[in-house]
Every structure is written in C-alpha cells, then in structure tokens.
Amino acid sequence: MTESAVPRVPVPEVPTRVPGLVLRELTREDADEYYALLDGNREHLSRLGDYRAESEATPAWVRRHLGEDPGPGRRYGIRWNGELIGRVDLVAVAPPRYGTGYWLGEAHVGSGHATAACAAAYAYAARELGATDIFAGVTHGNDRSAALLRRLGFVPVAVFEDYTRFHLRPVP
C-alpha cells in the first residue's frame, strides 16, 4: 500500500472551557469557509506582518494549503457555535517540542475566545501528543498576543530584531 493510500486518521475535536467554542481540524473541505474568513480579515492579519501569506491568500492557495498534511502537528479551526472564527496550530517542529500560531477574526478579538482555544490546544498537546515544550514567536508591537501567552504561562526566552520567542512547558 502506498503512503497516499493509507487512510488518514481523523483528528479529534477539542472542546474548550467556553460553551459552544471548539477546535476542529481544518481540512481542504473547509477551504471556502476559511478563504471567506481570511478575505474579511486581510488588513487585520497583515497589520503586524505575522500572517502575510494568509493576508494575500487566493482561493487556490487556501485549497493547496489546507490540502497539505500537517504531519504529526495539528491545524485547528476555532469554531464558535459552528462558525469558523479563527485558527490555532500545533507545529511539530521536533516532537515532543512544538511551535504554535493562532489568530482570530477581528470581530472576535477581545472576547476571550483565543485564550480559551489556545489553552485547550496546549492542554491537548501535552495530554495526547506528549508535548514537553511549546514555542511561539510574537512580532514586536503585538501586545495582545504577548498578553495571551503570558496569561497561559508562557515566558519570553529570546528577543530578536522583529519578534520575541516565548516558551511554555505544558501540563497534561
């Protein structure tokens, strides 16, 4: 059996502490909905340069991107009452070490949804993926993102020209 013929095991949905807020795997089937979310948030995503590729996305780019296998990492859509409102990723850099990235549509910023979604993702990473370390890079000036990470227990570990690297030792 070739690798492409091996059936892909579905990634489980991850609940959060907020009723109606869940993490669900982003797949190629979500391309139209994800593109619409990106398209409505281009200025928001490009403000600090964190999500340049997404802010310049085309429908074809989104289909290709969501069709790529994230490997042992996870690519989650943040859904509130079924509506796709953002994204959180666990990037398998060198398992059990992971990187992370996350964003919410501008209309949902300040709601606590990103904090709840990220908390659920990182607890899942520790519990189910055996993650021992999670790293995040935050562009200088993205104070909301840095505050979110600090709320979740991340600490700054390195400062670079354009961003600060944060680290968390997650607890299962």
Side-chain angles (χ1 to χ4, degrees):
M1 186 183 280
T2 66
E3 188 176 328
S4 61
V6 175
R8 192 167 183 287
V9 177
V11 173
E13 186 173 283
V14 178
T16 72
R17 62 176 169 73
V18 175
L21 188 72
V22 298
L23 305 180
R24 190 175 309 142
E25 182 180 25
L26 273 176
T27 67
R28 181 175 241 142
E29 288 74 36
D30 299 307
D32 291 341
E33 188 179 14
Y34 188 62
Y35 176 76
L37 181 63
L38 289 172
D39 196 41
N41 284 279
R42 288 182 190 277
E43 185 178 323
H44 172 62
L45 289 170
S46 63
R47 191 170 311 144
L48 295 168
D50 297 296
Y51 285 92
R52 186 172 312 263
E54 285 83 352
S55 71
E56 298 171 355
T58 64
W61 180 89
V62 169
R63 280 191 298 281
R64 273 192 315 276
H65 175 64
L66 294 183
E68 295 169 355
D69 184 354
R74 298 291 186 264
R75 180 176 52 220
Y76 282 113
I78 303 169
R79 293 185 175 274
W80 187 46
N81 297 323
E83 176 190 0
L84 182 62
I85 64 168
R87 175 175 175 168
V88 61
D89 290 2
L90 294 167
V91 181
V93 177
R97 294 182 178 98
Y98 289 78
T100 189
Y102 48 87
W103 67 272
L104 278 183
E106 189 169 23
H108 298 277
V109 170
S111 64
H113 292 154
T115 301
C118 288
Y122 307 149
Y124 170 85
R127 186 178 61 251
E128 301 297 330
L129 303 177
T132 59
D133 299 272
I134 300 176
F135 294 90
V138 177
T139 301
H140 298 311
N142 192 345
D143 298 335
R144 285 179 177 247
S145 187
L148 179 152
L149 293 174
R150 285 185 172 99
R151 277 193 299 278
L152 295 177
F154 280 78
V155 295
V157 292
V159 177
F160 300 96
E161 183 178 339
D162 296 328
Y163 70 96
T164 300
R165 179 177 296 147
F166 287 81
H167 174 250
L168 173 72
R169 288 199 185 275
V171 178

